[in-house]
Amino acid sequence: MKNFFGLLLSLVLVLSLVAPAANAQTSGNHDTSKDKSVHVQIVLFDGFDLMDALAPYEVFAAAGMYSGGAVTLEMVSAEGKRSVPSGMNGPALEAQAALDPNRPGIILVPGAAGKPAGNSEDAIPNILGQAMKTGLPDLMKQAVDNKEVTVATVCGGSLLLAIKGLLKDRHAVTNHMGMAALKAAGAIPVEARVVVDGPRLVSGGGVTSGLDVALYLVERELGPQIANAVEKLFEYERRGTVWRAEGVTPIDFTTSQEASKEVQPAAAM
């Protein structure tokens, strides 16, 4: 009898899982965007920021789960399969393969974790400088030039591209402490949480903006229902308006003629 109830309970559990899936497939409101598939490569380099990489990884992984495998992802490095140490003496992550700039999909570049300034080995400028000496910049140039690849960055990841000259005259954002460096490298810095320049360049500001970058891309690729399901799972709502070079340009009251007009003194009587 005990075995019988065990089998019955198992059957109920299976049906409870299968029924919603079957209903979704037979629904008249089937969204063809769910039939899309996208591959995501998350780039690792020595000293990378864990949250920059892992927050988007979890978003894309959850989207893959909710979409029945429409999102596939892997962690990669310029050197190929290897253990990659994170910054701040954090744990290493395993790069599963070499970064492939010719594979259609999304390539996401995180920033570095370390001291915000200085010349020490664990300072972010030095970590990014070491990454520039690897094959990563050249691979990312190929990715930027590939019309079938969307390049996304989180935090200092945009600086890696900018130093290589890949963001010249492109709108982008990075951590607030790196905005001046972004401008000096030829990019057009925008104070927004997520910045989209054309359909194939997406950048995020500070560390936690990786969640917003990934959720934006999930909604863009698979639609709002999958993105909403991931938000509910994480108990997190995407923050900020995604900035695009579209629509009416707001008046800059700090530089506009209207704001800079001097009040003329009254004529002397």
Side-chain angles (χ1 to χ4, degrees), residues 172-187:
V173 66
T174 187
N175 186 284
H176 66 93
M177 291 184 289
M179 293 290 273
L182 192 65
K183 183 176 181 179

Side-chain angles (χ1 to χ4, degrees), residues 49-234:
D49 187 284
L50 275 170
M51 188 175 289
D52 285 3
L54 290 179
Y57 185 95
E58 288 214 28
V59 170
F60 289 125
M65 175 182 67
Y66 278 121
S67 63
V71 178
T72 56
L73 71 160
E74 60 183 342
M75 291 188 173
V76 299
S77 79
E79 298 78 17
K81 182 177 174 61
R82 70 182 182 98
S83 179
V84 186
S86 63
M88 302 287 288
N89 295 315
L93 294 181
E94 187 73 16
Q96 301 159 288
L99 169 61
D100 183 359
N102 298 312
R103 181 166 186 175
I106 297 169
I107 296 177
L108 185 140
V109 183
K115 296 176 182 176
N119 297 318
S120 62
E121 184 177 343
D122 59 347
I124 289 177
N126 183 63
I127 295 172
L128 294 178
Q130 292 300 314
M132 293 301 297
K133 296 177 182 178
T134 69
L136 179 57
D138 289 335
L139 289 170
M140 289 310 304
K141 183 181 187 311
Q142 294 178 49
V144 169
D145 292 340
N146 188 342
K147 295 182 179 180
E148 294 186 315
V149 171
T150 292
V151 173
T153 66
V154 178
C155 202
S158 57
L159 288 173
L160 271 174
L161 273 61
I163 294 170
K164 178 67 175 176
L166 302 179
L167 298 187
K168 183 173 176 55
D169 299 328
R170 304 290 298 273
H171 299 93
V173 66
T174 187
N175 186 284
H176 66 93
M177 291 184 289
M179 293 290 273
L182 192 65
K183 183 176 181 179
I188 304 172
V190 178
E191 293 184 3
R193 191 162 173 85
V194 178
V195 173
V196 177
D197 186 304
R200 298 193 303 103
L201 177 62
V202 182
S203 56
V207 179
T208 58
S209 67
L211 290 166
D212 304 285
V213 168
L215 283 166
Y216 162 76
L217 289 168
V218 167
E219 180 177 7
R220 190 191 78 175
E221 297 295 327
L222 301 178
Q225 294 186 49
I226 298 296
N228 178 253
V230 176
E231 285 186 338
K232 289 193 294 183
L233 176 67
F234 290 178

